[in-house]
Amino acid sequence: MKIRKLLSIISVLFVFGQMPIFAQDNTIDYSNASVSIKYYNRTVYYPGTADEAPVFVHITIKNNGAETLRFKLADDRSFSMDFNAYTVKNSRLEQTENIIEKRTTNQTVYFREIALEQGEEYSFVENVKNFLKIEDPSVYYLELFFYPELYKSKYLTLKSNRLTLEVRPSPSAASSNFVPVKNESVELLKPQDISPDKVVEQTIIARQKSLWDQYFLYMDVESLIQRNPSLKKKYITVSAEERSRMIQSFKGDLMQARIENDIVAVPESFQIEKTTYSPTEGSVTVIEWFKYPNFSEKKRYTYKVQQREGIWKIYDYTVVNLGTE
């Protein structure tokens, strides 16, 4: 989803902890603000920790009114919102110990003040399991409570729509990787025997549309992990189960753009420049344009691909900056 330009994002800080709550401005009106949630990369979900089996949700705050909407957003989102999840018997899931500890400890909380004009939106992605302990397979009803004046002023709350979260029994360690699915169904996505240029084209388009299941379909994540010397050293020495956890954690970091920013950058447009390959190795060169408020940036990506069991996958890449336009 494209996010329209924000009027202002001002970095400030607030000391949070066992402090008295001073008088608040009860005249603040958030009646024209709305918050909505949807799954960021729809997959089959399992019990487990935030790193092992994440549940990523895309959150959008929108100004539906005519006046400027201002709210605070903490860098540590645990001070800006809560996820609630209920079973069909209306039993509520517990919060993580980490959330409870943060909110009962004196600490400095950094936040930004964000201003949205009429019709503008601000979106971000969060892992539900950073907030809730999801330890048992079941069907849950998930919703979000957003605090526009931070957690200490949670009497001001924006409530989201409700999602149905189906958590299935954990598979064996040998098959514990996420299984991508199509849309809302459980139809498995399977890589196809297509040419290297089509592999790269489909991967870039999937990233443009934030279709993470399709994005990872032709991505050799294990090889990308081993681009990092420290990660490679750990990856080749740990057990198969720990490798699986590292892969899922790496995917989560990619989806939140915490690592490998170039490979997950979203181009406004692209053009395949050159494709060369032998029976097992190849490379695809692509010119990609990235649009910013006042300029466009042009880069040349070279994606290295390798064929395994009849399927081409991206295992490495390089980027060259070609300047601005």
Side-chain angles (χ1 to χ4, degrees), residues 142-211:
L142 180 70
E143 58 190 12
L144 173 77
F145 289 92
F146 181 76
Y147 310 124
E149 294 297 316
L150 304 183
Y151 178 75
K152 275 296 187 180
S153 300
K154 62 179 182 177
Y155 66 91
L156 288 171
T157 304
L158 299 176
K159 184 178 179 181
S160 77
N161 56 301
R162 179 174 286 189
L163 298 178
T164 300
L165 172 62
E166 181 180 358
V167 178
R168 298 190 174 191
S170 296
S172 64
S175 60
S176 61
N177 289 350
F178 281 114
V179 181
V181 298
K182 290 185 178 179
N183 299 326
E184 305 298 317
S185 72
V186 293
E187 180 183 354
L188 299 184
L189 279 174
K190 295 181 180 179
Q192 303 297 315
D193 180 10
I194 57 179
S195 62
D197 56 324
K198 288 297 182 182
V199 163
V200 171
E201 179 184 53
Q202 289 193 22
T203 300
I204 296 174
I205 292 174
R207 180 65 191 97
Q208 287 177 320
K209 296 181 178 180
S210 293
L211 299 174

Side-chain angles (χ1 to χ4, degrees), residues 219-241:
M219 194 72 70
D220 186 346
V221 179
E222 291 182 78
S223 294
L224 291 179
I225 288 175
Q226 295 181 69
R227 280 167 48 93
N228 183 308
S230 60
L231 288 179
K232 179 179 180 179
K233 183 177 180 180
K234 179 180 178 181
Y235 187 82
I236 62 177
T237 58
V238 297
S239 65
E241 185 175 359

